[in-house]
Amino acid sequence: MAKSKAERLQEALDKIDEGLSELTVIADEVEEARNNMQGTNLENTERYQRYDEAADTLRQASDDIESAKGDAEGVEL
């Protein structure tokens, strides 16, 4: 039996949650790596800057996805 549109939507939302969880873990790991460089001679390196930018970008992407997910959750089928 074919799944209903509502069931498929819920499955998609669940997958979004899984992706958001993984993005959060990665952002946390990048931030930790960046924070471990603070106060050392690595703080003024290109790598530190890349980690800093990556952490910000991952957090912003996560926020954007969370907002889009909220929009999709409001869909009534």
Side-chain angles (χ1 to χ4, degrees):
M1 184 171 169
K3 293 181 183 177
S4 71
K5 289 173 185 61
E7 289 171 323
R8 290 175 31 222
L9 175 59
Q10 186 56 55
E11 287 178 359
L13 292 171
D14 292 343
K15 289 176 184 177
I16 290 170
D17 282 336
E18 290 175 25
L20 282 170
S21 178
E22 186 65 18
L23 273 179
T24 299
V25 168
I26 294 167
D28 289 345
E29 290 172 358
V30 170
E31 286 178 345
E32 182 178 352
R34 180 203 58 204
N35 291 343
N36 288 337
M37 293 180 188
Q38 291 177 342
T40 71
N41 61 347
L42 297 173
E43 188 170 3
N44 298 315
T45 64
E46 183 179 332
R47 181 180 218 166
Y48 178 89
Q49 185 176 354
R50 280 196 325 259
Y51 281 177
D52 192 46
E53 291 172 5
D56 289 345
T57 300
L58 290 170
R59 295 288 180 203
Q60 184 60 53
S62 181
D63 290 346
D64 292 346
I65 293 167
E66 187 70 46
S67 177
K69 179 182 171 259
D71 292 344
E73 287 174 329
V75 171
E76 293 186 31
L77 298 174

